[in-house]
Amino acid sequence: MLPGGGFGGRGIALAVIVVLAIWLMSGFYRVQSDQQGVVLRFGEWVATTQPGLNWHLPYPIETARTPSVERVNQIDIGFRRVGETQSRSVDEESLMLTGDQNIIDIDFSVQWRISDAGQYLFNIRDPEGTVKIAAESAMREIIGRTDIQPALTEARAEIETNTQRLLQEMLDAYGSGILVTGIRLQDVQPPQQVVDAFSDVQRANQDRDRLRNEALSYRNDIIPRARGEAQKIIQDAEGYRERLITEAEGEADRFSQVLEAYLQSPDVTRNRMYLETMQNVYSRTNKVLMDGMTSGAIPYLPLNELRQPRDRVQPAAISRDDR
C-alpha cells in the first residue's frame, strides 16, 4: 500500500471484499421465541420480523430492536406496594364516584403485554403511563354506571370484564400495540370515614336477603302442599259426582224395572212393594208385634232390653199359670 511496498491492486481489492463481507454479516440478528424484531432504517420503523434468524442492512443504514412480547407487566392503581405484604393507599387514584352518587374506594391492578412491538415502540411515547391513565379513566367510567351496593358485592366480576373491554378499545384506538390480559380488583370498600355506616347497611341487606330466602322457602313449601290439597278436593268432588250419577242412574233403572213389572202384574207388584216398605220401616224400630189372637197368656215386654240395640232384644211372653 506504500510506495515500494508489497501490496498491489489485488491486495487492496481483497481487503475491501473482506471488510465488505464482515460489514454485511453484521446485519444478521436473532429474534428469540418470546420477542419480535423491529427493523429501523435511519431511525424509521420499516418492518417487523418474527422469531428466528433474520437479516437487515448493516449499521448505520438499518438497526434492529427485539423487545419481549410474552412478558406480562403489571400496573397498580389506587395503591402502591411497600415490601411484599404491605401497601399504602393513593386516594387521588382510588376514590371514585358511583352511579348513585356515592364515593367508593377501589384498588385494582392491570396486567398487560406487548402485542405489536412496532406500534408499542413508535406510536406512544410513555407506554406504562398511557396504560395507567387509560385504565384509571376506564374504571371511573364503569364505576360511574354502577351503583355502590352491586359494586361492593356481586358486580365485581362484571366490573373487571367491562373495564378490560373498555381499556382495550381505548388502547387500540391509540394504536399502542398493547394487549390487556386482565383487570384484578384488589380492594373495594367505602371510604374509611363512613365504613361503619356502610357495615350497618351491609348487615341490614344480609338480614333482608335471609328473610327473603326464608319467605321463598316457605312459599316453595306451602304452595305445593296447597296445590296437592286442592287437587285432592277436586278428585274427591269428581268421585262424589260420579257416585251420585251412578246411584241416580241405578235408581232410574230400578224404577223402570219396577214400572215394567207393575204394568205386567199391578196387584202382585203393589203387595210386594208394600211388604218391602213395611219391612224396611219396622226393621229400624224397637217394637214387638202380636197378632191379638193370643189367649191364656199375658205378654211380657222387657222395656229395658227394648231400649238396647235391636240384635240384643229378646222379647218373651209368660203364661198366666207361670205367673
Side-chain angles (χ1 to χ4, degrees), residues 98-118:
T98 64
D100 52 358
Q101 304 301 312
N102 286 296
I103 296 177
I104 193 171
D105 192 343
I106 294 184
D107 298 339
F108 66 101
S109 299
V110 181
Q111 287 82 36
W112 59 277
R113 66 176 180 85
I114 301 173
S115 60
D116 189 304

Side-chain angles (χ1 to χ4, degrees), residues 74-81 93-96 105-111 131-140 143 156 159-160 163-164 167 182-188:
Q74 178 169 303
I75 298 177
D76 298 327
I77 300 176
F79 70 103
R80 297 294 182 270
R81 300 182 188 274
E93 296 177 359
S94 62
L95 295 180
M96 302 182 184
D105 192 343
I106 294 184
D107 298 339
F108 66 101
S109 299
V110 181
Q111 287 82 36
V131 172
K132 180 177 179 298
I133 295 174
E136 184 178 345
S137 176
M139 180 62 73
R140 290 186 183 277
I143 292 298
R156 294 171 62 99
I159 291 174
E160 293 176 346
T163 302
Q164 180 177 348
L167 175 58
I183 300 289
R184 297 292 179 268
L185 293 177
Q186 303 295 339
D187 190 16
V188 181

Side-chain angles (χ1 to χ4, degrees), residues 23 43 84 96 119 132-133 135 200 205-206 230 269 299 316 319 321 323:
W23 180 69
E84 296 182 356
M96 302 182 184
Q119 292 181 346
K132 180 177 179 298
I133 295 174
D200 293 339
N205 289 333
Q206 291 175 355
T269 303
S319 63
D321 297 336
R323 183 181 177 189

